[in-house]
Amino acid sequence: MESLCSTLKKADADWIRQLRRHIHQYPELSGKEEQTAGLVKDTLHRIGVKDIQSGIAGHGIVARLGENMDGPVVALRADMDALPIQEETGISFASRHDGVMHACGHDAHTAMLLGAAKILKEMEDRIQGCILFIFQPAEENSPIGGAQPMMEAGALDDPQPDAVFGLHVWPQLPVGQIGIKPGFQMGASDRFEIRVQGQGGHASMPHETIDATMTAVQISQVLQTIVSRNVNPLETAVLSISSIQAGTTHNVIPDQASLMGTVRTVQPEIRELMEKRIRQVAKHVAHSMGAQVHVDYHRGYPVLNNDLAMVEVVRKTVREQWSEQALPEIRPALTAEDFAAYLEKFPGAFFWLGCGFTDPEHNFPLHHPRFLVDERILPLGAELLSTLALRYLAEKRGEVQ
């Protein structure tokens, strides 16, 4: 990291940092990003961006720089929503909204994209084409998300981008490293809820009941065999039970129980298999226990597949701005990201921006109540996004190789 430095003026770097800290203090859940969207819109106005569409699919915003509508169009995207997590960082700018926290770094994403917009606005006369800035709501709101609703609302219809780029802070990588690979980088995510209907009664007389709690436990145990006994060991699948709920007191066997979980896959046929087997297991285990069962299975975000040519644009930008050492080999992850919806429609690439602290004791995973980013990434990320956009436009016009 010592060889890396931001070329931004200190005042601009501080401006990005203060934006991020303000957004961090006032997090908003998916679909409720009203104040955050207002801040984004006001900030864009203050830096001189005039072409702004707001209120898209809720609180989405698309801003545009560049007047050459006959030239290439590139889009940069940041997500704005937070998570229902109680913050435990103890920092001076911790969340002021009880039970809501930017535990996934979307505050940093939004601030960095605003920083990129400021950089690019100051050199707007050099933009030979068009740059779109997508500020997206509801990324955490799987299975719906915010990307697909924004596209369905026509946010990227006029003009349509020739390429779309996005990033995500990544604590597993140190500051100054970029994780990107062609093809599969992040998995498909589905979720399910299984509701068991039994027959309740006194806990001292279980023989007179149909135990919904025990049925749910049995279903949970058998579900764990699907991956190990139905999926080829050379293929990829994860099934996790994240919640089992039943009963309210010690001496009553409840008549209802529920369990929730997630499924992560890569191959479409494995995705189909997982849903089919979950339904079969729940039905037959419940039947064997004398209970009734209902399964709700929701398809979530698709697999995130990066376009090879767009990956190379990112890599060239990183090599020129930083170095070859900033591009380590990475393994894909089964975390999901609704940026994948853009990549199903437009060429593009999504990359991980290392935000890990030098001291590993300060590093916590995404979605953890003590998660934070190393703030040195903020000006670096803003510069990388702006440089990436300019390089893509130049390559598209044939000006660079």
Side-chain angles (χ1 to χ4, degrees), residues 188 231 234-237 265-273 303:
V231 177
L234 300 179
E235 306 290 356
T236 301
T265 54
V266 178
Q267 298 86 357
E269 62 273 16
I270 302 301
R271 197 177 194 183
E272 295 287 342
L273 172 67
V303 174

Side-chain angles (χ1 to χ4, degrees), residues 42-52 65 121 124:
D42 290 346
T43 303
L44 290 169
H45 277 304
R46 285 200 302 273
I47 63 179
V49 178
K50 298 178 181 178
D51 192 338
I52 304 171
L65 280 180
K121 175 60 183 175
E124 189 171 12

Side-chain angles (χ1 to χ4, degrees), residues 226-300:
I226 294 176
V227 173
S228 66
R229 291 299 175 266
N230 298 129
V231 177
N232 187 322
L234 300 179
E235 306 290 356
T236 301
V238 169
L239 186 156
S240 294
I241 304 298
S242 56
S243 172
I244 298 181
Q245 297 185 9
T248 57
T249 189
H250 69 281
N251 60 352
V252 176
I253 292 177
D255 62 352
Q256 294 181 340
S258 66
L259 56 155
M260 293 189 295
T262 186
V263 174
R264 306 300 172 102
T265 54
V266 178
Q267 298 86 357
E269 62 273 16
I270 302 301
R271 197 177 194 183
E272 295 287 342
L273 172 67
M274 293 298 293
E275 179 178 357
K276 176 182 176 181
R277 290 294 292 134
I278 286 170
R279 293 185 183 278
Q280 289 174 337
V281 164
K283 175 182 176 181
H284 292 300
V285 172
H287 179 74
S288 73
M289 302 285 285
Q292 301 295 314
V293 70
H294 179 79
V295 179
D296 284 323
Y297 195 97
H298 303 280
R299 292 293 178 98

Side-chain angles (χ1 to χ4, degrees), residues 152 159 195 207 241 261 268 271 274 283 306 311 333 379-381 383:
E152 290 173 355
R195 297 191 297 277
H207 59 289
I241 304 298
R271 197 177 194 183
M274 293 298 293
K283 175 182 176 181
N306 282 329
V311 168
L380 293 173
E383 289 180 318

Side-chain angles (χ1 to χ4, degrees), residues 12-38:
D12 286 337
D14 287 343
W15 179 81
I16 297 170
R17 187 178 301 108
Q18 291 306 312
L19 274 174
R20 180 259 167 167
R21 290 187 175 191
H22 181 87
I23 296 168
H24 190 91
Q25 278 188 299
Y26 300 98
E28 295 172 297
L29 295 175
S30 298
K32 300 180 179 180
E33 308 92 341
E34 182 177 357
Q35 289 186 9
T36 306

